[in-house]
Amino acid sequence: MERDPVISKSADVLEAALADDACIFHAESGKYWTFTRTSARVWDLLAQPRSLRALVTALAEEFDAPRAAVERDVEAFVAFLMERRLVRLSEPARE
């Protein structure tokens, strides 16, 4: 993970929590998705914009999973979200 972009939910997204799942509606496209346990948790963690590195760290600790596997899965899920315009990436603020 060379870059560490900040991931933010799109303003065009409406969401509802359903037990351990999340129902996501993209207003512009009129499409919706249901995210189950792990993907719903990723979505929940994005309630506040956070860096990819912070997201991977939080999930690896929470699920007690190997960081490399979590990183691979999170990057793939973020790519899925990006392709559907459910999130946007931005460069982190410089200190």
Side-chain angles (χ1 to χ4, degrees), residues 49-67:
R50 64 175 66 216
S51 72
L52 185 58
R53 183 173 292 124
L55 186 58
V56 168
T57 298
L59 291 163
E61 290 174 2
E62 183 173 335
F63 289 100
D64 193 28
R67 184 178 177 83

Side-chain angles (χ1 to χ4, degrees), residues 5 8 10-11 17 20 22 27-28 30-31 35-36 40 50 59 61-62 68 71-72 75 88:
S8 305
S10 169
D20 289 336
E28 184 179 318
K31 295 182 180 179
F35 298 154
T36 56
R50 64 175 66 216
L59 291 163
E61 290 174 2
E62 183 173 335
E71 185 174 318
R72 181 188 64 240
E75 286 177 349
R88 59 187 173 83

Side-chain angles (χ1 to χ4, degrees), residues 24-87:
I24 311 302
F25 176 73
H26 187 256
E28 184 179 318
S29 69
K31 295 182 180 179
Y32 70 93
W33 297 265
T34 299
F35 298 154
T36 56
R37 185 176 180 256
T38 305
S39 55
R41 182 62 183 138
V42 171
W43 187 257
D44 185 51
L45 288 170
L46 292 175
Q48 295 296 318
R50 64 175 66 216
S51 72
L52 185 58
R53 183 173 292 124
L55 186 58
V56 168
T57 298
L59 291 163
E61 290 174 2
E62 183 173 335
F63 289 100
D64 193 28
R67 184 178 177 83
V70 172
E71 185 174 318
R72 181 188 64 240
D73 292 347
V74 168
E75 286 177 349
F77 185 59
V78 168
F80 169 90
L81 296 172
M82 286 288 302
E83 288 170 8
R84 287 147 185 87
R85 298 183 320 248
L86 300 175
V87 297

